[in-house]
Amino acid sequence: MTDLRSSDRPPADTLDSPSDELADSDYSLGQDNIEGKFGPIGFDIHNPVFAISALAVVGFVAYTLFLPDQANSVFSLLFSTVTKSFDWFFIGAADIFVILCLVIVVSPYGKVRLGGKEATPDFSYVSWFSMLFAAGMGIGLMFYGVSEPISHFASSLGGTTVGADGVRTDWAPLGAAATQEEAIRLGMAASIFHWGLHPWAIYAVVGLSLAFFSYNRGLPLTIRSAFYPIFGERVWGWPGHIIDILAVFATLFGLATSLGLGAVQANSGFNKLFGMPIDSTWQVILIAAITAIALVSVVRGLEAGVKLLSEINMGLAALLVLFVVIAGPGLVLLPDALNYLGAYLQYLPALSSPVGREDVNFMQGWTSFYWAWWISWSPFVGMFIARVSRGRTVREFLVSVLLIPSLVCVLWMSIFGGAAISQIVNDGYTAVQQAALPVQLFTMLDAMPWATITSFVGIMLVIVFFVTSSDSGSLVIDTIAAGGKVDAPVPQRVFWCLFEGLIAIVLLLSAGGLKSLQSMVISTGLPFTIVLLIMCVAIWRGLASEPR
């Protein structure tokens, strides 16, 4: 990858932009950094982003460990307040991101090439798509790929119920369903909605902004650079510091939530296969062990670490999908995928409406949480996408980031969720519906041949997704905390990788488990949503001044 050091930045007159305002920034990469050695360990950190972020994280860990009951109460209050008071805000913001991406795709701005007119891609399509998918959705699809479709199917089939206060108490999306067939379509549409265009539009906005302002304008590869059209030179001061610190927090807690989900599911899988007890001790051991593997990948770097593991991920995922298609309900799952895609498009306007909704539990408990989760992941996934997308046109970038992973998610949900629903409806196999959420994937596989082998492959997928998320997340957080440098000393990446695992462990052990992880995602996602909305204005201004 290109490292835009101050000595290597192209002069303003060689940039592919006529905008002197952006090209002539006085900022030099690393000018606010503190470099040195602590014994044999070198460091190159941004002042004050690294210090404030690191101290705040340490303080958070200490608070959660020493006052767990109080922390649990605070986290629960945060979750309830944010999801109930700002559900409209999360949903409306996500709609804006989708609309902006689609408008840019069909506009003349789509012709702009990231890196300039002569830039060429750094990675093949296969490697690029593999890294997009592994970084953006990995652990979540393994955890929710079976459980979410059957949950929405069951709640849709169960109909609506209203409490004494006139507020609905059921969890069905929209107005529920009158028939079993419609419950299946609505359940699948609601599941795909949470993994389709909206989350990938969130990632695309951040990724496009970072890639454009870094590769086309010569600014550091850090979140604040995307706000240069808004703040000008002030972006290198406290406005930019606050933006980058928020990005570090959002990324850390977004990753910690995913690592917690991965640990719980891996623990459940090992319990089914080898009798491992399902408890917090083993989950801590799993987080520690997998974080150690992630450290090895962090040290190896982007090419030898994340890229290789992402391609392994895609291979294993493709094998598991192919097996479920053949050994499950059969090739009927493939035409069903088209049916479910049609259902998603049919229900999309209603599911994405931020106002006038009666399905409050679904809207707040599912959609608001998901959008906050994706937004908290957006600095990490967006910057990672930016790092691997140099040389693509804006149109190619947006179409690929929006459509390819979304279609993969449609296929994944249709096959895994469709197989589980078929087992319930056609085979009377209710064990998958009655199983605990983390084990539902493995329970679904139990009804098929070679269950031990396929469950083991599923566990390996969870672990490798776990590793790629931790690895690439550490690279991104370190880049932000190093002022945009992509080649900061390796011990700094190790530091952030360790803290991702530590936060997941502390929240699982000391403050309400997964609920606390979800609460922190919601809390950090709220302020960063405002950051992303301002970023939309910045990228439009930037593209408008770029030659095509």
Side-chain angles (χ1 to χ4, degrees):
M1 299 301 300
T2 300
D3 180 9
L4 295 171
R5 293 179 177 276
S6 56
S7 59
D8 296 334
R9 281 183 57 196
D13 59 0
T14 66
L15 290 171
D16 294 325
S17 168
S19 173
D20 294 334
E21 177 193 21
L22 293 183
D24 289 339
S25 171
D26 295 330
Y27 186 82
S28 296
L29 184 65
Q31 71 177 31
D32 296 322
N33 283 21
I34 300 173
E35 299 183 55
K37 283 193 173 184
F38 185 76
I41 300 175
F43 59 87
D44 187 352
I45 56 177
H46 185 278
N47 180 37
V49 171
F50 182 93
I52 293 176
S53 300
L55 288 174
V57 170
V58 171
F60 169 82
V61 169
Y63 168 67
T64 308
L65 278 174
F66 294 116
L67 297 170
D69 293 335
Q70 184 184 96
N72 189 24
S73 299
V74 170
F75 297 155
S76 298
L77 179 63
L78 283 173
F79 186 86
S80 175
T81 301
V82 174
T83 54
K84 291 180 179 179
S85 301
F86 295 95
D87 51 355
W88 61 271
F89 180 65
F90 284 122
I91 295 173
D95 292 342
I96 290 172
F97 302 142
V98 173
I99 293 169
L100 175 67
C101 290
L102 295 177
V103 169
I104 293 175
V105 165
V106 299
S107 75
Y109 302 157
K111 298 178 182 179
V112 173
R113 186 170 294 277
L114 300 174
K117 295 179 181 178
E118 305 303 320
T120 56
D122 295 329
F123 298 97
S124 68
Y125 275 115
V126 172
S127 296
W128 189 42
F129 291 150
S130 297
M131 288 188 282
L132 291 181
F133 181 74
M137 292 292 174
I139 291 175
L141 279 177
M142 294 298 296
F143 196 85
Y144 289 108
V146 169
S147 61
E148 187 172 354
I150 61 177
S151 174
H152 296 327
F153 160 68
S155 62
S156 297
L157 192 60
T160 61
T161 56
V162 180
D165 56 358
V167 177
R168 275 176 54 179
T169 57
D170 63 273
W171 284 75
L174 302 180
T179 65
Q180 185 179 81
E181 179 59 31
E182 194 56 33
I184 295 173
R185 295 184 80 252
L186 178 57
M188 292 301 303
S191 301
I192 293 169
F193 171 62
H194 291 145
W195 298 85
L197 288 176
H198 283 73
W200 286 102
I202 292 168
Y203 296 156
V205 166
V206 179
L208 177 61
S209 300
L210 296 176
F212 175 79
F213 286 106
S214 177
Y215 300 140
N216 292 64
R217 299 301 169 88
L219 299 179
L221 187 61
T222 187
I223 304 296
R224 71 175 72 198
S225 293
F227 295 86
Y228 195 93
I230 307 294
F231 296 110
E233 290 296 316
R234 288 177 299 160
V235 82
W236 313 122
W238 275 103
H241 299 337
I242 292 170
I243 289 168
D244 280 350
I245 290 167
L246 282 174
V248 171
F249 287 164
T251 303
L252 273 174
F253 290 112
L255 282 168
T257 299
S258 297
L259 300 186
L261 292 175
V264 170
Q265 189 173 31
N267 188 189
S268 299
F270 281 124
N271 171 264
K272 283 190 68 68
L273 290 182
F274 308 114
M276 175 188 288
I278 298 178
D279 57 36
S280 56
T281 301
W282 279 104
Q283 288 162 14
V284 168
I285 292 172
L286 285 170
I287 291 175
I290 298 172
T291 299
I293 299 172
L295 287 174
V296 175
S297 183
V298 161
V299 172
R300 287 172 62 86
L302 184 64
E303 284 277 356
V306 180
K307 176 175 174 288
L308 176 63
L309 288 174
S310 297
E311 291 172 350
I312 291 173
N313 264 346
M314 289 301 289
L316 286 175
L319 286 174
L320 192 58
V321 165
L322 185 62
F323 172 81
V324 173
V325 169
I326 295 173
L331 296 178
V332 69
L333 288 174
L334 297 180
D336 277 350
L338 292 176
N339 180 25
Y340 300 146
L341 177 60
Y344 164 58
L345 296 175
Q346 174 189 340
Y347 288 112
L348 181 59
L351 289 169
S352 58
S353 174
V355 294
R357 301 278 293 270
E358 295 182 355
D359 52 342
V360 288
N361 283 332
F362 174 82
M363 183 179 175
Q364 296 170 357
W366 281 100
T367 306
S368 288
F369 165 68
Y370 266 131
W371 287 183
W373 191 9
W374 302 147
I375 288 168
S376 72
W377 263 50
S378 65
F380 145 51
V381 180
M383 185 175 289
F384 185 76
I385 291 173
R387 285 193 63 178
V388 300
S389 298
R390 183 185 178 94
R392 308 289 177 183
T393 66
V394 168
R395 183 171 292 116
E396 179 186 18
F397 174 92
L398 288 176
V399 169
S400 298
V401 172
L402 279 179
L403 296 186
I404 303 301
S406 293
L407 290 174
V408 171
C409 291
V410 169
L411 192 63
W412 187 279
M413 286 289 178
S414 299
I415 289 174
F416 285 84
I421 291 173
S422 175
Q423 290 174 346
I424 296 167
V425 172
N426 299 324
D427 303 335
Y429 181 67
T430 59
V432 64
Q433 194 169 14
Q434 296 166 356
L437 192 152
V439 80
Q440 285 178 332
L441 169 65
F442 307 111
T443 307
M444 184 267 287
L445 293 173
D446 272 349
M448 300 181 186
W450 306 333
T452 300
I453 296 174
T454 55
S455 293
F456 185 76
V457 171
I459 295 172
M460 290 301 101
L461 265 173
V462 170
I463 291 173
V464 180
F465 276 132
F466 194 143
V467 172
T468 53
S469 296
S470 181
D471 184 351
S472 49
S474 302
L475 291 171
V476 166
I477 294 173
D478 183 46
T479 300
I480 298 171
K485 289 190 174 182
V486 297
D487 63 346
V490 172
Q492 292 174 203
R493 295 181 222 158
V494 171
F495 170 83
W496 292 114
C497 186
L498 289 172
F499 262 84
E500 289 160 20
L502 182 60
I503 289 173
I505 288 171
V506 167
L507 287 174
L508 278 175
L509 283 180
S510 305
L514 286 177
K515 284 189 177 180
S516 294
L517 289 167
Q518 293 172 340
S519 299
M520 294 312 299
V521 164
I522 286 282
S523 303
T524 55
L526 179 60
F528 209 75
T529 304
I530 301 171
V531 172
L532 261 61
L533 288 170
I534 301 173
M535 188 181 285
C536 291
V537 178
I539 187 59
W540 187 265
R541 286 187 182 180
L543 289 171
S545 64
E546 185 77 0
R548 295 175 285 281

